[in-house]
């Protein structure tokens, strides 16, 4: 059946992708060339429109400018009697041409450059400045630079400061290393020159030169340090930037610099902003080995009272980004940001709301005080501000404010751009997952906006959201599917129609009344293009396969499709009628057929493509079993764009990083040693085991099974000159007594920038939530790679690389699974399955902090928004739900109260299907 | 390379009321390697902002992970672009400095035809505002002074020229600019 399966691999989505990539650019091109013709035609007065004529009438000194003519004009540079004004005009014209995107050929550029160098003869200051600009724009080659060097060096020593500053900037821009050592002495003097323009010119040039000639610039440290003390604001700014660049790899030196400057006075607001950034860096790097008060926090807080807004903002932002920031540390920063929210300056409002929006993701409670100011921003003229405000509110809002917010959003949806609508839709989606009880209101909102006008990306975001709600909230399934059905009745996007049909085929047959969807699906066969018709045929077949009662009707419909005008539609109908037995009597669909209809593609598309290419060139028949299943260079590292991790909806492209459970399952089952372990109970989010920007980037995903844990190490080699082979992680489990090592699955080869995985498997007592710490060492053979040929040396060297520790914690054994109605769920479990106990949690930062600590300790899903603690409240009840290892549903009711100034006590009631699990939860809290 | 350590401006754009380029300067070839990429960016920025009112206060938006602050006057649209982590208030001070300096140089007569006629002054002003992405000067009066001073006697030190003198020279320069 290789051939049979193969056809199924090209899903409707892929077909659509192929066809759009062919057609859309083609039609655009046609359009563009038409436009061009149109504008050429406008040169004839007869077809000109009136307003076009007005435009042309507008005078421009560059009207009708033409490169060839200007290059001719540049001959005036060679005149024995230079006319400075005329020469300046010609340079301006040349610069205008370059500015408009015109390019000079190598020959033209050289000619202009040589002509321009003649202008050093003139003593006209204006012309000299234009000359400087021109030389920078031409970026001359090394041999050309030599010609102007002596002139520029003369200017560098001129009495005119303006000459000196500009000559430095030009020379440093075009110079190479050899020349740089010649002028180094002048530059060092210039850095401490009393004229700030000259000093800044030298310092900024130093910042650029540090990238190409670090060893030279580093020798200027003393002068730069002196310039940091300059009374001129911008000199101080440029000097500080350069000094930090010079020392950035020396943590101690940066720390010293910050220590001394935070005590002194920094005059320039820009320099103060830099100091705040460098201070944050020092705090970040010292955070891991210090306890108690955070160093330099007082400095950051002091900057909140600076007179310059840019400094206040920089400091507020720095505080919000401190790792593990406490609510006490946050408060003063939030207060100034709140003031900015009502500023008359849009930039200030934007800066504040953008920062608060980020804070709301991690500390929603800290932002709730700003809710009133935030609500008034919903009607802000600036739509970026309004959108950030609304999404912040959606993140911080509680269940009771949902309805009011939805009303406000409905009012302004119609007058914002699609890309903002997408942001709103995504915020609504996460709100719905947070408050599953509110799904009706939110689903209604989504279905309403689905009916309105909108572009593809927007519609796709809505459809994706509905799909996710259907998957995550069982109660939302039937209404969600019907909304999607109504949408495809009048959907202009083939891609979305095919995706929805595919989804319907999977979910529809499992509903209480599958027959009601048939009409919507069969309508597609009548009304749509071939791609959608083919997808509809596949969906019909799936209903036929799953619902025996519908089989005869489905067969009738499929037979009608045999007369379709399109090959693919007819072929599919024939195929399905045969596989489902449509020509004989109605029998139960057998397992193989179901697998064929519903099975996922187990082969990476890239591998399939390679195999098919080989097949086209070869003689033998194609064998699907010969296609390798091993996943090569899967981008599992997930280092890029951590903020963009969205739940994947319908339209997830097949190449997307497989961060979802499904993808992990697929990966694990493709490896024989791991496939035998069964299905993982839970896969954790990746934890980084290396710092950013190191030679090798490794993160780990913990897969928890009943009797095993599997550590999946995602490795990336960031050194282009190296090829790593036989990569494995040696795990020391001496601090994890209950675990015993089973096997390690090394990675055969890890080329540059192509992530791969190695695995380690441990056994543990069945069903027991064992915890422990594991230390990790990356082991590998390293081979040099020739950068020119890309070929690796034959001989390699054994090497090791120390990674961070990883820990298996109780929360790893708990799946976050919410319930839509906590009370019903709670009452459905017998009272004798309940275990209650009280705990003193000791002194805590705040009630909210205590609640969050317990939630993350247990790793359960907060229900009904109860993770949010109202400010100033002295008690709080939190409802949690989850599934514990062994597939045991667990519910927990936590009542917190303040007993002393900061003392928090907690009453914990746990119910679960297994009383032993209720006890285990208490044990986790007692030992945590 | 400067992204985190130092405020970095990715481009300054001056477009006309139809989104056409009047004067632009890019400081990041990695973000926009070709003229086509630059034009596409300008088109997006223009389309997404031209309906807003950025005439009294500078406005701000985010497009494709860039923070863009902008201000309009007459038939001209001024933009300053930075990376998404950039402090938008620093970008705004760069914009304001450049914008006001152009105002001083053109004696408040800021419109497309004037800018084109004095394009040399505008290009010099851009050059004095940013050097390779690093803000060089953000004070409008100082900027205008630096640009306008080039017609003063080369022997006289910069500090002895008053802004008024500079403006007179700028004006003279204006009248005899590209018009022959």
């Amino acid at each position: 059946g290789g051939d049979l399966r193969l056809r199924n691999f090209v899903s409707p989505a892929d077909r659509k992708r192929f066809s759009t990539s062919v057609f859309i650019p083609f039609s655009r091109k046609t359009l563009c060339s038409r436009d061009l013709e149109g504008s050429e035609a406008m040169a004839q007065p007869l077809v000109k429109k009136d307003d076009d004529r007005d435009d042309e009438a507008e005078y421009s000194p560059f009207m009708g400018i033409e490169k060839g003519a200007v290059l001719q004009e540049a001959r005036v540079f060679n005149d024995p009697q230079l006319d400075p004004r005329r020469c300046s005009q010609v340079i301006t014209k040349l610069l205008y041409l370059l500015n408009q995107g015109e390019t000079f050929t190598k020959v033209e550029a050289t000619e202009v450059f040589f002509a321009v160098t003649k202008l050093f003869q003139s003593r006209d200051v204006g012309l000299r400045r234009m000359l400087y600009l021109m030389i920078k724009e031409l970026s001359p080659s090394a041999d050309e630079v030599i010609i102007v060097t002596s002139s520029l060096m003369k200017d560098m020593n001129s009495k005119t400061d303006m000459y000196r500053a500009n000559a430095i900037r030009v020379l440093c821009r075009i110079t190479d290393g050899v020349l740089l050592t010649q002028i180094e002495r002048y530059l060092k003097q210039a850095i401490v020159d009393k004229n700030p323009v000259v000093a800044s010119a030298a310092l900024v040039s130093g910042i650029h030169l540090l990238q190409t000639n670090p060893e030279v610039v580093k020798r200027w440290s003393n002068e730069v340090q002196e310039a940091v003390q300059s009374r001129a604001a911008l000199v101080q700014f440029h000097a500080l930037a350069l000094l930090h660049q010079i020392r950035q790899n020396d943590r101690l030196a940066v720390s010293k610099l910050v220590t001394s400057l935070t005590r002194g006075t920094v005059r320039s607001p820009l320099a103060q902003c830099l100091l705040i950034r460098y201070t944050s860096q020092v705090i970040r790097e010292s955070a891991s080995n210090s306890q108690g008060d955070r160093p330099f926090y007082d400095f950051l807080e002091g900057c909140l009272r600076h007179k310059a807004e840019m400094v206040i903002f920089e400091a507020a932002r720095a505080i919000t980004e401190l790792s593990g920031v406490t609510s006490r540390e946050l408060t003063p920063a939030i207060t100034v940001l709140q003031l900015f929210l009502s500023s008359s300056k849009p930039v200030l409002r934007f800066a504040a709301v953008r920062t608060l929006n980020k804070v709301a993701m991690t500390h929603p409670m800290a932002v709730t005080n700003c809710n009133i100011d935030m609500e008034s921003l919903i009607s802000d003229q600036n739509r970026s501000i309004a959108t950030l405000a609304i999404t912040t509110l959606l993140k911080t809002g509680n269940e009771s404010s949902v309805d009011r917010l939805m009303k406000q959003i409905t009012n302004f949806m119609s007058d914002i751009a699609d890309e903002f609508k997408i942001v709103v839709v995504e915020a609504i989606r996460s709100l719905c997952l947070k408050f599953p009880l509110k799904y009706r209101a939110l689903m209604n909102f989504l279905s309403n906006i689905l009916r309105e006008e909108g572009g593809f990306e927007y519609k796709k975001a809505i459809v994706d959201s509905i799909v996710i709600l259907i998957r995550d909230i069982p109660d939302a399934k039937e209404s969600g599917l019907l909304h999607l059905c109504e949408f495809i009745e009048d959907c202009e996007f083939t891609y979305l129609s095919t995706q929805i049909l595919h989804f319907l085929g999977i979910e529809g047959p499992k509903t209480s009344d599958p027959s009601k969807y048939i009409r919507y699906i069969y309508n597609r066969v009548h009304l749509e293009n071939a791609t959608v018709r083919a997808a509809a045929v596949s969906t019909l077949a799936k209903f036929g396969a799953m619902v025996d009662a519908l089989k005869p009707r489905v067969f009738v419909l499929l037979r009608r499709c045999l007369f379709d005008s399109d090959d693919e539609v007819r072929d599919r109908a024939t195929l399905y009628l045969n596989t489902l037995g449509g020509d004989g009597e109605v029998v139960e669909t057998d397992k193989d057929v179901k697998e064929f209809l519903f099975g996922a593609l187990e082969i990476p598309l890239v591998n399939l493509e390679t195999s098919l290419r080989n097949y086209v060139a070869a003689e033998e028949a194609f064998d699907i079993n010969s296609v390798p299943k091993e996943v090569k260079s899967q981008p599992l590292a997930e280092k890029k764009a951590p903020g963009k991790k969205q739940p994947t909806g319908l339209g997830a492209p097949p190449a997307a990083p497989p961060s979802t459970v499904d993808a992990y399952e697929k990966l694990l089952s493709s490896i024989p040693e791991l496939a035998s372990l069964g299905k993982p109970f839970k896969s954790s989010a990746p934890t980084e085991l290396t710092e950013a920007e190191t030679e090798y980037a490794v993160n780990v995903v913990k897969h928890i099974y009943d009797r095993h844990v599997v550590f999946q190490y995602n490795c990336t080699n960031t050194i282009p000159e190296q090829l790593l082979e036989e990569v494995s992680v040696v795990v020391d489990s001496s601090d994890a007594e209950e675990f015993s090592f089973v096997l390690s699955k090394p990675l055969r080869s890890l080329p540059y920038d192509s992530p791969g995985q190695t695995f380690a498997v441990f056994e543990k007592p069945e069903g027991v939530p064992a915890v422990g710490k594991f230390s990790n060492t990356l082991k590998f053979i390293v081979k040099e790679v020739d950068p020119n040929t890309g070929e690796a040396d034959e001989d390699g060297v054994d090497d090791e690389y120390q990674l961070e520790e990883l820990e298996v914690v109780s929360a790893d054994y708990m799946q976050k699974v919410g319930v839509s109605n906590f009370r019903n769920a709670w009452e459905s479990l017998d009272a004798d399955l309940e275990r209650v106990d009280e705990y003193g949690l000791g002194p805590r930062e705040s009630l909210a902090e205590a609640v969050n600590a317990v939630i993350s300790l247990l790793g359960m899903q907060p229900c009904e928004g109860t993770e949010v603690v109202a400010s100033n409240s002295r008690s709080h009840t939190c409802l949690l739900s989850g599934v514990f290892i062994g597939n045991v549903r667990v519910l927990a009711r936590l009542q917190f109260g303040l007993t002393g100034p900061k003392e928090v006590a907690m009453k914990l009631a746990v119910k679960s299907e297994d009383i032993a699990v209720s006890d285990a939860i208490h044990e986790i809290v007692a030992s945590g | 390379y400067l992204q985190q350590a130092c405020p970095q401006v990715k481009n300054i754009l001056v477009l006309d009321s139809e989104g056409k380029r009047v004067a632009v300067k890019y400081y990041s070839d990695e973000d926009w390697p070709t003229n086509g990429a630059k034009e596409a960016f300008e088109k997006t920025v223009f389309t997404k902002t031209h309906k807003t009112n950025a005439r009294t206060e500078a406005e701000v938006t985010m497009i494709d992970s860039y923070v863009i602050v902008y201000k309009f006057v007459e038939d001209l649209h001024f933009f300053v672009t930075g990376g998404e982590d950039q402090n938008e208030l620093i970008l705004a001070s760069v914009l304001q400095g450049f914008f006001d300096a152009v105002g001083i140089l053109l004696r408040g007569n800021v419109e497309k035809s004037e800018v084109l006629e004095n394009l040399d002054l505008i290009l010099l002003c851009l050059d004095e505002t940013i050097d390779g992405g690093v803000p060089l000067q953000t004070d409008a009066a100082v900027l205008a002074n630096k640009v306008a001073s080039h017609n003063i006697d080369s022997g006289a030190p910069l500090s002895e020229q008053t802004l008024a003198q500079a403006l007179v020279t700028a004006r003279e320069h204006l009248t005899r600019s590209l018009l022959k």
Side-chain angles (χ1 to χ4, degrees), chain A residues 706-821:
Chain A
D706 267 357
R707 293 183 47 205
H708 297 89
V709 284
V710 173
F711 300 133
Q712 172 188 333
Y713 297 93
N714 301 311
C715 312
T716 312
N717 165 14
T718 65
I719 306 177
E721 300 81 19
Q722 287 191 1
L723 169 69
L724 306 190
E725 289 187 346
E726 296 307 321
V727 182
S728 64
V729 175
V730 178
V731 189
D732 175 1
S733 63
S734 47
D735 284 340
E737 286 163 8
E738 288 181 274
F739 295 84
S740 53
F741 176 75
V742 179
L743 64 91
S744 155
K745 164 98 181 143
L747 178 63
R748 238 175 294 147
S749 113
L750 184 64
Y752 163 64
D753 202 23
S754 165
Q757 300 90 36
T758 163
F759 298 86
V761 183
F762 282 85
E763 198 172 12
K764 67 167 195 60
E766 183 164 2
V768 173
V771 297
K773 281 187 182 168
F774 300 81
S775 56
N776 307 293
T777 311
L778 192 67
K779 270 193 74 153
F780 47 84
I781 299 169
V782 59
K783 291 186 174 176
E784 296 281 317
V785 174
D786 183 329
N788 300 318
T789 61
E791 273 173 36
D793 267 7
E794 298 240 328
D795 302 318
V797 183
D798 284 319
D799 203 353
E800 299 189 347
Y801 189 81
Q802 190 63 43
L803 303 174
E804 311 251 335
E805 253 184 12
L806 83 89
E807 210 176 336
V808 173
V809 294
S810 312
D812 288 329
Y813 297 96
M814 183 72 80
Q815 286 176 349
K816 282 189 178 195
V817 179
V819 285
S820 56
N821 187 327

Side-chain angles (χ1 to χ4, degrees), chain A residues 129 136-137 169 238 382, chain B residues 25 59 127-128 131 135:
Chain A
R129 303 268 319 262
K136 280 200 270 188
E137 286 296 326
R169 288 174 58 203
H238 295 132
N382 183 315
Chain B
K25 185 74 191 163
E59 283 286 347
D127 183 60
E128 293 290 353
D131 184 298

Side-chain angles (χ1 to χ4, degrees), chain A residues 297-318:
Chain A
Y297 176 79
D298 291 344
F299 166 73
L300 293 182
E301 204 211 337
C303 289
L304 296 174
R305 293 183 288 277
H306 198 276
K307 59 184 189 303
E309 282 158 347
M310 69 168 77
V311 175
I312 300 175
F313 173 66
E314 187 80 42
R317 192 174 66 166

